[in-house]
Amino acid sequence: MIDRLAALADIVPPRPVAPVHTSAAWQVAAGRWLPALLLFGLIALGLVLVALCWRPLRRAFARRRLARLRARLCAGPPDAPIAPLLPRVWEELRRAGLPEHGEGEPARCLRQRLLYGRDAPARLLCRYLERRLGP
């Protein structure tokens, strides 16, 4: 048995594993922080640009939708019923930044006819949108 132990004498046991070096996050190389800061800066810049451009874009899109609606109404039959469209039109006018108090006397009369008329024709709404949006 001693011979067997003597045969194993030349085997060296492995060294113990070294503990992992812990360092604070601020001690990490700048090469790791620079891309993260750059990405954060780009995201923040994008959010600022979206916040600044949101209202003008929303108004422009609302005016475009109103212009399309006006074109459809002017091209369609002049006596088509428009009662289902009116709530959407008032909402789009508000989104487009065209409040009620800014309209002139002719447009105000057309609005009153649209609001309180029983069966307002499409040509009346087409004329109202022409006055509000311009030609």
Side-chain angles (χ1 to χ4, degrees):
M1 178 121 157
I2 294 181
D3 293 333
R4 287 187 189 165
L5 286 177
L8 295 176
D10 61 337
I11 297 177
V12 179
R15 292 185 199 175
V17 178
V20 178
H21 179 67
T22 58
S23 64
W26 55 271
Q27 291 178 342
V28 177
R32 292 185 186 177
W33 280 103
L34 189 61
L37 289 175
L38 202 62
L39 181 65
F40 178 74
L42 287 175
I43 291 172
L45 179 65
L47 289 175
V48 167
L49 288 176
V50 165
L52 289 176
C53 297
W54 180 256
R55 182 175 286 167
L57 284 175
R58 185 177 177 196
R59 285 184 175 177
F61 287 140
R63 286 177 191 246
R64 185 184 301 168
R65 284 190 298 266
L66 285 170
R68 286 182 189 161
L69 177 65
R70 179 184 65 188
R72 270 197 338 246
L73 288 173
C74 292
D79 57 346
I82 56 164
L85 295 176
L86 286 178
R88 194 178 96 199
V89 168
W90 306 139
E91 182 65 24
E92 290 295 335
L93 283 169
R94 186 190 62 76
R95 277 191 193 130
L98 300 169
E100 300 172 26
H101 61 276
E103 58 192 30
E105 186 62 34
R108 188 179 3 238
C109 292
L110 287 173
R111 181 182 173 87
Q112 296 301 319
R113 285 178 58 194
L114 285 169
L115 282 173
Y116 302 116
R118 286 221 156 177
D119 295 321
R123 61 181 160 73
L124 188 63
L125 181 58
C126 184
R127 280 194 333 209
Y128 177 72
L129 289 175
E130 281 176 2
R131 291 210 185 259
R132 292 307 307 266
L133 298 175

